[in-house]
Amino acid sequence: MADFNSIPIQGWEFIEADDGVPFRARSLYTHSTWARTFSSIPELFIQPESQEEVEKAVNLARKCRRRITTVGCGHSPSEMTCTSSWLLNLDNFNKVLSIDKETGLCVLQAGIRLFDLSAALDRAGLAMPSLGSINEQSIAGAISTGTHGSSLRHGLVSESIVALKITLADGKTRSCSPTENLDLFRAALLSLGALGIITEVTFRAVPAFSLAWEQSIDKDARIFKQWDAGLWTQSDFVRVWWFPYMRRAVVWKADVVAPADLQSGAVSHREPPVSYYDNWLGYVVYHNLLALARWVPRITPWIEWFVFGMQYGFGDGDKTRISAVQPSQKAFLMNCLYSQSVNEWAIPLRKGPEALQRLAAWLHNLKPGDPGYVEHGIPYSAEGLWVHSPVEVRASDSTVKTSAEKGNRPFLDPTRSDEPTLYLNAIMYRAYHLEPRNRATERYYEGFEWLMRDLGGKPHWAKSFTVSQEEFAAWYGKDFAEWKKVRDSSDPQGMFVGPWHRRYLLGAGEALPLEEKEVGRELAEDGGIRVVGTQAAE
């Protein structure tokens, strides 16, 4: 570390000697995604605790000719956050700086996790307007990858962002909003970590609310009939889990409880009934059945029937209905269970029944005359292919609160700009961190992605996908070019560019001076892929 005038303290930590601003870094750190799909060994793992420390890390990286990657909880299953250079984490830069209970405006350090943010807001009588299915992400990570919930009253989580501060590659921090540095704001709202380091977020919360929710399982044919007849508008929040082998689907719907009803006691908080699936026994049984299916994949449909029948019921309709009343920050959450690969795409909401029926026809190898047959058109064979359940089905409408005209729609927003959006998330579990055998995941996603493209879809940025830079450029058009223009001007030397960005966003071309390139992959001890990189200029 002598090349940047630092001295070692406490083994692997270092502090800059000339100005007293700490440089909290250590080596011998292994980074892995939550699902352990990918991992890497960064040269340094940096955890700043102040704005000045973030800026110092950037200035030192520029001096030492290093790339910086920012990571939160690592929930994305892709290799986006893998680096052999410098990995920066903001878990210790996570304070709530201010909360205005009257306006709902809160100023946050960007490393705060959503569960801590929800707790702080709740103490102030506030809440996030919408959440996804987990709350482990940092606020910066959630907005940088396009996190969303499931409601036609909301779009991306970033629609509640009023202003941002971001430290760019020159070590200086800029403020941006719809009225200040507009292009930088729209690029940073879904930055994919390629612009700089988001350090401060001004977020508009809403008064705290509770949700009265209920769910039931029914035949998917009945749900398809309800699709355009109120399925997605019947409640404030709606989400669906579809089971391709049983041809059934769970519908979860939730409505905001009037505060007066809670205060008067007319409505009280109550937890849902707990099934075997929700305790350790169900967790272990399902996990080991998935492990067994690696070797005997033909039992996969039976596993779906047994596990989800035990959880949701073996009947249909009202007799499977359960309900609860919970604070919003609790009601939204679900257990992701095991290591998994996920491939999620956004398509027009109106095409949902077509998408699921065509996917089912392909997976079941249906022929003309078979019940449920439709022409799927997928040019790949599903013979011998067995996939996991469920397919998560959610909806949003970014047109309600965001637009280019308002200056708050991200350039790289994958949702529809003119109609509601449907998200389909195809899950393949990795029992004990091992991939399904016989290329099952690759074959499933090959057919799934072909179908999503055919329906006019775009992938969720944080998930797994195989898309070319040319496709993204065509799909996003002018917005893609504008995002790239902001990126290039904010980081002309590529301090925040890695192999993932080159592959999907920058395309072929000469490497930037500080860009990191991939030089190899190897099987890690935990069953995932270890990614090895080097500075492109070295």
Side-chain angles (χ1 to χ4, degrees):
M1 294 300 171
D3 59 342
F4 52 86
N5 302 318
S6 60
I7 57 175
I9 62 172
Q10 299 179 11
W12 300 323
E13 295 190 11
F14 303 85
I15 185 169
E16 186 76 359
D18 56 1
D19 62 4
V21 177
F23 180 58
R24 306 175 197 275
R26 62 187 177 97
S27 56
L28 302 180
Y29 178 84
T30 299
H31 162 67
S32 66
T33 61
W34 170 82
R36 299 188 192 177
T37 44
F38 291 95
S39 64
S40 62
I41 301 177
E43 181 181 33
L44 288 180
F45 180 64
I46 308 164
Q47 289 190 298
E49 298 181 9
S50 69
Q51 180 71 55
E52 293 76 16
E53 291 181 35
V54 173
E55 292 172 356
K56 168 165 280 188
V58 171
N59 287 327
L60 288 174
R62 189 175 61 255
K63 184 176 181 180
C64 296
R65 316 302 292 169
R66 290 292 183 265
R67 175 200 177 196
I68 288 185
T69 303
T70 307
V71 68
C73 70
H75 205 271
S76 170
S78 78
E79 72 274 31
M80 184 193 304
T81 58
C82 288
T83 181
S84 296
S85 190
W86 291 8
L87 186 66
L88 186 141
N89 169 266
L90 296 177
D91 278 355
N92 296 333
F93 189 63
N94 61 351
K95 294 182 176 63
V96 176
L97 300 178
S98 67
I99 295 180
D100 187 324
K101 296 181 182 180
E102 297 301 318
T103 64
L105 286 178
C106 46
V107 182
L108 319 164
Q109 291 180 335
I112 190 169
R113 299 291 186 96
L114 296 186
F115 59 83
D116 283 331
L117 173 57
S118 295
L121 292 175
D122 187 58
R123 290 192 293 270
L126 299 171
M128 297 183 67
S130 179
L131 269 174
S133 298
I134 63 168
N135 61 0
E136 295 292 328
Q137 311 104 306
S138 67
I139 184 66
I143 63 176
S144 294
T145 53
T147 297
H148 62 88
S150 189
S151 170
L152 292 186
R153 302 186 180 192
H154 300 282
L156 303 181
V157 169
S158 64
E159 70 183 11
S160 297
I161 304 302
V162 176
L164 294 170
K165 287 185 179 180
I166 181 169
T167 302
L168 302 183
D170 61 3
K172 298 178 181 179
T173 301
R174 271 74 164 185
S175 298
C176 56
S177 71
T179 59
E180 181 183 12
N181 292 322
L182 172 60
D183 286 348
L184 178 61
F185 182 66
R186 293 188 63 195
L189 281 175
L190 210 162
S191 70
L192 301 169
L195 270 67
I197 302 170
I198 295 174
T199 59
E200 187 176 291
V201 177
T202 302
F203 183 90
R204 189 180 298 280
V206 299
F209 62 98
S210 293
L211 291 173
W213 63 263
E214 64 179 47
Q215 72 179 28
S216 59
I217 189 168
D218 210 336
K219 293 179 174 63
D220 63 5
R222 294 178 184 171
I223 291 166
F224 296 151
K225 289 180 180 178
Q226 300 168 8
W227 199 273
D228 296 322
L231 175 66
W232 297 100
T233 58
Q234 62 184 314
S235 293
D236 296 325
F237 300 90
V238 179
R239 55 191 178 189
V240 174
W241 294 279
W242 179 69
F243 302 95
Y245 294 117
M246 295 191 294
R247 297 303 303 267
R248 301 166 77 204
V250 170
V251 176
W252 181 95
K253 57 183 182 178
D255 288 293
V256 176
V257 179
D261 289 342
L262 284 172
Q263 293 167 4
S264 68
V267 177
S268 300
H269 286 129
R270 54 185 172 82
E271 297 298 309
V274 178
S275 72
Y276 100 100
Y277 180 85
D278 298 309
N279 61 34
W280 70 269
L281 178 61
Y283 181 93
V284 171
V285 168
Y286 188 23
H287 203 181
N288 283 281
L289 286 173
L290 289 170
L292 178 62
R294 291 189 71 247
W295 300 98
V296 193
R298 287 184 176 274
I299 68 172
T300 302
W302 176 85
I303 293 173
E304 178 183 284
W305 170 82
F306 172 73
V307 169
F308 295 105
M310 292 292 289
Q311 182 184 10
Y312 298 114
F314 292 96
D316 291 317
D318 288 340
K319 56 184 158 183
T320 67
R321 193 176 309 278
I322 64 170
S323 62
V325 180
Q326 296 175 302
S328 60
Q329 67 269 23
K330 187 174 184 179
F332 286 128
L333 304 182
M334 62 173 287
N335 188 344
C336 290
L337 296 176
Y338 323 110
S339 172
Q340 58 195 253
S341 297
V342 284
N343 195 323
E344 181 175 7
W345 286 59
I347 64 172
L349 176 64
R350 56 188 164 81
K351 293 187 178 181
E354 177 188 351
L356 295 175
Q357 290 175 62
R358 289 173 66 183
L359 186 59
W362 178 62
L363 291 173
H364 286 268
N365 292 294
L366 296 182
K367 304 295 189 294
D370 291 340
Y373 169 80
V374 296
E375 178 58 51
H376 58 74
I378 299 173
Y380 307 107
S381 172
E383 192 68 38
L385 174 64
W386 307 97
V387 304
H388 297 155
S389 303
V391 172
E392 188 176 21
V393 185
R394 294 182 286 173
S396 74
D397 192 348
S398 294
T399 69
V400 175
K401 298 181 180 179
T402 66
S403 67
E405 292 71 26
K406 294 177 182 177
N408 62 349
R409 179 178 172 88
F411 286 128
L412 296 184
D413 187 338
T415 64
R416 307 290 295 183
S417 62
D418 56 354
E419 63 180 316
T421 296
L422 183 75
Y423 302 92
L424 295 180
N425 186 26
I427 299 169
M428 285 293 281
Y429 287 113
R430 304 172 66 250
Y432 296 100
H433 301 104
L434 297 175
E435 294 286 349
R437 292 163 55 83
N438 301 320
R439 296 185 60 252
T441 300
E442 291 88 341
R443 293 181 62 201
Y444 182 23
Y445 288 170
E446 186 176 48
F448 178 75
E449 289 191 354
W450 187 95
L451 178 60
M452 294 299 99
R453 284 180 172 89
D454 194 53
L455 294 170
K458 299 173 186 170
H460 188 308
W461 289 105
K463 307 299 174 69
S464 303
F465 52 79
T466 52
V467 175
S468 69
Q469 187 268 351
E470 291 78 12
E471 285 180 296
F472 279 130
W475 292 342
Y476 285 91
K478 181 181 177 182
D479 282 345
F480 190 87
E482 289 297 320
W483 181 89
K484 192 171 181 297
K485 179 180 177 182
V486 175
R487 203 229 70 77
D488 291 346
S489 64
S490 301
D491 178 26
Q493 290 194 309
M495 179 184 290
F496 301 103
V497 173
W500 189 95
H501 303 102
R502 175 60 64 182
R503 183 180 310 120
Y504 297 118
L505 298 170
L506 304 187
E510 185 177 350
L512 300 170
L514 301 185
E515 180 179 342
E516 182 179 8
K517 64 180 180 180
E518 184 177 313
V519 295
R521 295 188 174 199
E522 57 191 33
L523 186 64
E525 293 180 1
D526 59 10
I529 300 297
R530 177 71 46 79
V531 181
V532 181
T534 187
Q535 295 298 132
E538 293 182 351

